[in-house]
Amino acid sequence: MSMASLLTPSPTFPLQTEINYHSERSPFKTISVSISRPSVGRRGKRYGSCTVSRATSIEKDVLDKDIHVVDEKKDFGVVGMHHVGILCENLERSLEFYQNLLGLEINEARPHDKLPYRGAWLWVGSEMIHLMELPNPDPFTGRPEHGGRDRHTCIAIRDVSKLKEILDKAGIPYTLSRSGRPAIFTRDPDTNALEFTQVES
């Protein structure tokens, strides 16, 4: 499992693009990009043109907007999401939800006594959730029924149907993705919205 990234898109340079579509039976579409000036990719390799294969079926106009060339001066080395901080009113109540119900394991290597508030670090794949026992500025009432329309943390899982059974058994309300994809939205005891989206392993 991994947390979904909330990264700001990289700056773009003007590109001359030519889209070559393969057979419609293939999920991959090859994008041939001709760059008008020498550029540097994320891994430091200089190139004048490149071919990118994307496992997607989105339209040409979306693909045109989705092509980015990294500006070497602004590429500060994003590696991935390290952790997401979630505020809670009562640490034990939150651990009952995240650890005992959802089965997330505590990362005992992270410091628990060096911060001026109580907390816990929970593994989510190779990333973490940092539970922090602090006053939550978000109201408990008046929040959207569907967590997808609120600030939320997204966790990739293998089996939405199994999680649905766990939530049903615990009597925890949830909503399903409005787009029909396999995803569940629910809230923790402090009404923090969580999305669980099914991905192929």
Side-chain angles (χ1 to χ4, degrees):
M1 296 187 291
S2 65
M3 307 298 287
S5 291
L6 303 174
L7 301 178
T8 303
S10 303
T12 59
F13 293 119
L15 302 177
Q16 298 173 349
T17 62
E18 175 188 347
I19 310 280
N20 296 324
Y21 293 97
H22 285 213
S23 166
E24 288 302 316
R25 295 189 179 186
S26 170
F28 292 91
K29 296 179 191 280
T30 300
I31 308 164
S32 298
V33 181
S34 298
I35 301 171
S36 56
R37 57 181 171 174
S39 301
V40 179
R42 256 184 209 282
R43 303 191 183 279
K45 183 178 179 182
R46 294 189 175 274
Y47 55 86
S49 64
C50 65
T51 299
V52 181
S53 294
R54 296 177 181 274
T56 182
S57 59
I58 56 180
E59 299 298 327
K60 176 183 179 298
D61 61 338
V62 177
L63 289 173
D64 285 340
K65 295 176 184 177
D66 196 36
I67 300 169
H68 300 287
V69 177
V70 176
D71 183 343
E72 185 179 36
K73 294 179 181 178
K74 296 181 180 178
D75 183 12
F76 51 90
V78 172
V79 175
M81 187 69 72
H82 184 270
H83 71 272
V84 170
I86 295 180
L87 302 183
C88 62
E89 184 180 61
N90 182 281
L91 183 62
E92 284 72 27
R93 182 180 67 179
S94 293
L95 286 175
E96 178 66 28
F97 176 82
Y98 285 97
Q99 185 181 18
N100 297 341
L101 181 73
L102 298 182
L104 303 184
E105 296 181 3
I106 291 180
N107 179 0
E108 298 290 355
R110 298 298 295 179
H112 294 279
D113 56 352
K114 299 190 181 205
L115 297 172
Y117 52 83
R118 300 175 70 220
W121 297 79
L122 299 162
W123 284 115
V124 183
S126 59
E127 293 80 37
M128 291 171 284
I129 284 175
H130 184 195
L131 287 177
M132 299 177 287
E133 192 178 77
L134 290 168
N136 193 336
D138 292 329
F140 274 54
T141 60
R143 308 289 289 277
E145 178 189 0
H146 183 58
R149 294 185 177 183
D150 201 353
R151 290 183 293 275
H152 62 276
T153 298
C154 182
I155 299 174
I157 62 174
R158 295 190 183 93
D159 192 346
V160 159
S161 62
K162 188 169 183 180
L163 176 59
K164 185 175 177 292
E165 291 176 6
I166 292 170
L167 296 177
D168 283 335
K169 185 175 180 181
I172 295 175
Y174 57 83
T175 55
L176 301 177
S177 171
R178 303 295 168 89
S179 68
R181 63 190 173 84
I184 285 181
F185 292 81
T186 190
R187 292 185 182 276
D188 73 2
D190 293 274
T191 72
N192 297 301
L194 300 169
E195 176 185 356
F196 296 88
T197 185
Q198 184 170 304
V199 297
E200 294 182 6
S201 56

mmCIF file with all atom_site columns, all heavy atoms in Angstrom, residues 18 33 53 56 91 96 114 136 147 165 171 186-187:
data_model
loop_
_atom_site.group_PDB
_atom_site.id
_atom_site.type_symbol
_atom_site.label_atom_id
_atom_site.label_alt_id
_atom_site.label_comp_id
_atom_site.label_asym_id
_atom_site.label_entity_id
_atom_site.label_seq_id
_atom_site.pdbx_PDB_ins_code
_atom_site.Cartn_x
_atom_site.Cartn_y
_atom_site.Cartn_z
_atom_site.occupancy
_atom_site.B_iso_or_equiv
_atom_site.pdbx_formal_charge
_atom_site.auth_seq_id
_atom_site.auth_comp_id
_atom_site.auth_asym_id
_atom_site.auth_atom_id
_atom_site.pdbx_PDB_model_num
ATOM 1  N N   . GLU A 1 18  ? 3.879   15.021  -31.214 1.00 0.00 ? 18  GLU A N   1
ATOM 2  C CA  . GLU A 1 18  ? 3.223   14.206  -32.224 1.00 0.00 ? 18  GLU A CA  1
ATOM 3  C C   . GLU A 1 18  ? 2.745   12.948  -31.519 1.00 0.00 ? 18  GLU A C   1
ATOM 4  O O   . GLU A 1 18  ? 3.526   12.240  -30.900 1.00 0.00 ? 18  GLU A O   1
ATOM 5  C CB  . GLU A 1 18  ? 4.211   13.849  -33.335 1.00 0.00 ? 18  GLU A CB  1
ATOM 6  C CG  . GLU A 1 18  ? 3.626   12.890  -34.365 1.00 0.00 ? 18  GLU A CG  1
ATOM 7  C CD  . GLU A 1 18  ? 4.674   12.388  -35.353 1.00 0.00 ? 18  GLU A CD  1
ATOM 8  O OE1 . GLU A 1 18  ? 5.781   12.956  -35.393 1.00 0.00 ? 18  GLU A OE1 1
ATOM 9  O OE2 . GLU A 1 18  ? 4.375   11.438  -36.066 1.00 0.00 ? 18  GLU A OE2 1
ATOM 10 N N   . VAL A 1 33  ? 7.793   12.813  -28.536 1.00 0.00 ? 33  VAL A N   1
ATOM 11 C CA  . VAL A 1 33  ? 7.930   14.220  -28.205 1.00 0.00 ? 33  VAL A CA  1
ATOM 12 C C   . VAL A 1 33  ? 9.196   14.766  -28.825 1.00 0.00 ? 33  VAL A C   1
ATOM 13 O O   . VAL A 1 33  ? 10.278  14.237  -28.594 1.00 0.00 ? 33  VAL A O   1
ATOM 14 C CB  . VAL A 1 33  ? 7.986   14.412  -26.668 1.00 0.00 ? 33  VAL A CB  1
ATOM 15 C CG1 . VAL A 1 33  ? 8.093   15.880  -26.326 1.00 0.00 ? 33  VAL A CG1 1
ATOM 16 C CG2 . VAL A 1 33  ? 6.786   13.764  -26.011 1.00 0.00 ? 33  VAL A CG2 1
ATOM 17 N N   . SER A 1 53  ? 5.672   5.754   -23.089 1.00 0.00 ? 53  SER A N   1
ATOM 18 C CA  . SER A 1 53  ? 4.506   4.890   -23.172 1.00 0.00 ? 53  SER A CA  1
ATOM 19 C C   . SER A 1 53  ? 3.688   5.043   -21.918 1.00 0.00 ? 53  SER A C   1
ATOM 20 O O   . SER A 1 53  ? 4.212   4.952   -20.813 1.00 0.00 ? 53  SER A O   1
ATOM 21 C CB  . SER A 1 53  ? 4.927   3.423   -23.331 1.00 0.00 ? 53  SER A CB  1
ATOM 22 O OG  . SER A 1 53  ? 5.571   3.251   -24.571 1.00 0.00 ? 53  SER A OG  1
ATOM 23 N N   . THR A 1 56  ? -2.748  4.092   -20.498 1.00 0.00 ? 56  THR A N   1
ATOM 24 C CA  . THR A 1 56  ? -3.939  4.911   -20.333 1.00 0.00 ? 56  THR A CA  1
ATOM 25 C C   . THR A 1 56  ? -4.721  4.972   -21.623 1.00 0.00 ? 56  THR A C   1
ATOM 26 O O   . THR A 1 56  ? -4.214  4.657   -22.690 1.00 0.00 ? 56  THR A O   1
ATOM 27 C CB  . THR A 1 56  ? -3.545  6.338   -19.877 1.00 0.00 ? 56  THR A CB  1
ATOM 28 O OG1 . THR A 1 56  ? -4.726  7.084   -19.673 1.00 0.00 ? 56  THR A OG1 1
ATOM 29 C CG2 . THR A 1 56  ? -2.704  7.042   -20.920 1.00 0.00 ? 56  THR A CG2 1
ATOM 30 N N   . LEU A 1 91  ? -5.648  9.810   21.214  1.00 0.00 ? 91  LEU A N   1
ATOM 31 C CA  . LEU A 1 91  ? -4.746  8.890   20.525  1.00 0.00 ? 91  LEU A CA  1
ATOM 32 C C   . LEU A 1 91  ? -5.205  7.446   20.638  1.00 0.00 ? 91  LEU A C   1
ATOM 33 O O   . LEU A 1 91  ? -5.176  6.699   19.660  1.00 0.00 ? 91  LEU A O   1
ATOM 34 C CB  . LEU A 1 91  ? -3.320  9.050   21.068  1.00 0.00 ? 91  LEU A CB  1
ATOM 35 C CG  . LEU A 1 91  ? -2.252  8.187   20.392  1.00 0.00 ? 91  LEU A CG  1
ATOM 36 C CD1 . LEU A 1 91  ? -2.121  8.520   18.926  1.00 0.00 ? 91  LEU A CD1 1
ATOM 37 C CD2 . LEU A 1 91  ? -0.907  8.360   21.118  1.00 0.00 ? 91  LEU A CD2 1
ATOM 38 N N   . GLU A 1 96  ? -7.307  2.556   18.068  1.00 0.00 ? 96  GLU A N   1
ATOM 39 C CA  . GLU A 1 96  ? -8.310  1.497   17.968  1.00 0.00 ? 96  GLU A CA  1
ATOM 40 C C   . GLU A 1 96  ? -8.809  1.377   16.536  1.00 0.00 ? 96  GLU A C   1
ATOM 41 O O   . GLU A 1 96  ? -9.022  0.285   16.020  1.00 0.00 ? 96  GLU A O   1
ATOM 42 C CB  . GLU A 1 96  ? -9.472  1.790   18.925  1.00 0.00 ? 96  GLU A CB  1
ATOM 43 C CG  . GLU A 1 96  ? -10.603 0.779   18.885  1.00 0.00 ? 96  GLU A CG  1
ATOM 44 C CD  . GLU A 1 96  ? -10.183 -0.603  19.374  1.00 0.00 ? 96  GLU A CD  1
ATOM 45 O OE1 . GLU A 1 96  ? -9.256  -0.702  20.209  1.00 0.00 ? 96  GLU A OE1 1
ATOM 46 O OE2 . GLU A 1 96  ? -10.789 -1.586  18.906  1.00 0.00 ? 96  GLU A OE2 1
ATOM 47 N N   . LYS A 1 114 ? 9.925   13.014  21.652  1.00 0.00 ? 114 LYS A N   1
ATOM 48 C CA  . LYS A 1 114 ? 10.706  14.198  21.305  1.00 0.00 ? 114 LYS A CA  1
ATOM 49 C C   . LYS A 1 114 ? 9.838   15.339  20.806  1.00 0.00 ? 114 LYS A C   1
ATOM 50 O O   . LYS A 1 114 ? 10.342  16.396  20.452  1.00 0.00 ? 114 LYS A O   1
ATOM 51 C CB  . LYS A 1 114 ? 11.743  13.831  20.245  1.00 0.00 ? 114 LYS A CB  1
ATOM 52 C CG  . LYS A 1 114 ? 12.713  12.784  20.754  1.00 0.00 ? 114 LYS A CG  1
ATOM 53 C CD  . LYS A 1 114 ? 13.874  12.577  19.834  1.00 0.00 ? 114 LYS A CD  1
ATOM 54 C CE  . LYS A 1 114 ? 14.779  11.501  20.406  1.00 0.00 ? 114 LYS A CE  1
ATOM 55 N NZ  . LYS A 1 114 ? 16.141  11.582  19.974  1.00 0.00 ? 114 LYS A NZ  1
ATOM 56 N N   . ASN A 1 136 ? -8.212  19.637  16.698  1.00 0.00 ? 136 ASN A N   1
ATOM 57 C CA  . ASN A 1 136 ? -8.532  19.561  15.274  1.00 0.00 ? 136 ASN A CA  1
ATOM 58 C C   . ASN A 1 136 ? -9.372  20.771  14.885  1.00 0.00 ? 136 ASN A C   1
ATOM 59 O O   . ASN A 1 136 ? -10.463 20.964  15.412  1.00 0.00 ? 136 ASN A O   1
ATOM 60 C CB  . ASN A 1 136 ? -9.291  18.264  14.980  1.00 0.00 ? 136 ASN A CB  1
ATOM 61 C CG  . ASN A 1 136 ? -9.363  17.971  13.490  1.00 0.00 ? 136 ASN A CG  1
ATOM 62 O OD1 . ASN A 1 136 ? -9.268  18.875  12.667  1.00 0.00 ? 136 ASN A OD1 1
ATOM 63 N ND2 . ASN A 1 136 ? -9.537  16.709  13.146  1.00 0.00 ? 136 ASN A ND2 1
ATOM 64 N N   . GLY A 1 147 ? -16.625 11.535  1.349   1.00 0.00 ? 147 GLY A N   1
ATOM 65 C CA  . GLY A 1 147 ? -15.278 11.993  1.682   1.00 0.00 ? 147 GLY A CA  1
ATOM 66 C C   . GLY A 1 147 ? -14.467 12.470  0.504   1.00 0.00 ? 147 GLY A C   1
ATOM 67 O O   . GLY A 1 147 ? -13.494 13.204  0.667   1.00 0.00 ? 147 GLY A O   1
ATOM 68 N N   . GLU A 1 165 ? -16.412 -5.378  3.967   1.00 0.00 ? 165 GLU A N   1
ATOM 69 C CA  . GLU A 1 165 ? -16.900 -6.322  4.980   1.00 0.00 ? 165 GLU A CA  1
ATOM 70 C C   . GLU A 1 165 ? -16.441 -5.903  6.383   1.00 0.00 ? 165 GLU A C   1
ATOM 71 O O   . GLU A 1 165 ? -17.207 -5.991  7.348   1.00 0.00 ? 165 GLU A O   1
ATOM 72 C CB  . GLU A 1 165 ? -16.383 -7.727  4.663   1.00 0.00 ? 165 GLU A CB  1
ATOM 73 C CG  . GLU A 1 165 ? -17.002 -8.355  3.418   1.00 0.00 ? 165 GLU A CG  1
ATOM 74 C CD  . GLU A 1 165 ? -16.385 -9.711  3.107   1.00 0.00 ? 165 GLU A CD  1
ATOM 75 O OE1 . GLU A 1 165 ? -15.565 -10.197 3.931   1.00 0.00 ? 165 GLU A OE1 1
ATOM 76 O OE2 . GLU A 1 165 ? -16.706 -10.285 2.049   1.00 0.00 ? 165 GLU A OE2 1
ATOM 77 N N   . GLY A 1 171 ? -19.784 -1.496  11.782  1.00 0.00 ? 171 GLY A N   1
ATOM 78 C CA  . GLY A 1 171 ? -20.842 -0.489  11.769  1.00 0.00 ? 171 GLY A CA  1
ATOM 79 C C   . GLY A 1 171 ? -20.355 0.898   11.412  1.00 0.00 ? 171 GLY A C   1
ATOM 80 O O   . GLY A 1 171 ? -20.947 1.902   11.831  1.00 0.00 ? 171 GLY A O   1
ATOM 81 N N   . THR A 1 186 ? -14.411 6.725   3.757   1.00 0.00 ? 186 THR A N   1
ATOM 82 C CA  . THR A 1 186 ? -14.951 6.661   5.106   1.00 0.00 ? 186 THR A CA  1
ATOM 83 C C   . THR A 1 186 ? -14.280 7.749   5.944   1.00 0.00 ? 186 THR A C   1
ATOM 84 O O   . THR A 1 186 ? -13.487 8.545   5.428   1.00 0.00 ? 186 THR A O   1
ATOM 85 C CB  . THR A 1 186 ? -14.744 5.267   5.727   1.00 0.00 ? 186 THR A CB  1
ATOM 86 O OG1 . THR A 1 186 ? -15.479 5.162   6.947   1.00 0.00 ? 186 THR A OG1 1
ATOM 87 C CG2 . THR A 1 186 ? -13.283 4.964   5.986   1.00 0.00 ? 186 THR A CG2 1
ATOM 88 N N   . ARG A 1 187 ? -14.629 7.810   7.230   1.00 0.00 ? 187 ARG A N   1
ATOM 89 C CA  . ARG A 1 187 ? -14.031 8.804   8.124   1.00 0.00 ? 187 ARG A CA  1
ATOM 90 C C   . ARG A 1 187 ? -13.553 8.123   9.399   1.00 0.00 ? 187 ARG A C   1
ATOM 91 O O   . ARG A 1 187 ? -14.146 7.150   9.853   1.00 0.00 ? 187 ARG A O   1
ATOM 92 C CB  . ARG A 1 187 ? -15.045 9.894   8.457   1.00 0.00 ? 187 ARG A CB  1
ATOM 93 C CG  . ARG A 1 187 ? -15.403 10.770  7.260   1.00 0.00 ? 187 ARG A CG  1
ATOM 94 C CD  . ARG A 1 187 ? -16.318 11.910  7.640   1.00 0.00 ? 187 ARG A CD  1
ATOM 95 N NE  . ARG A 1 187 ? -16.683 12.708  6.474   1.00 0.00 ? 187 ARG A NE  1
ATOM 96 C CZ  . ARG A 1 187 ? -15.950 13.688  5.965   1.00 0.00 ? 187 ARG A CZ  1
ATOM 97 N NH1 . ARG A 1 187 ? -14.801 14.005  6.551   1.00 0.00 ? 187 ARG A NH1 1
ATOM 98 N NH2 . ARG A 1 187 ? -16.341 14.348  4.897   1.00 0.00 ? 187 ARG A NH2 1
#
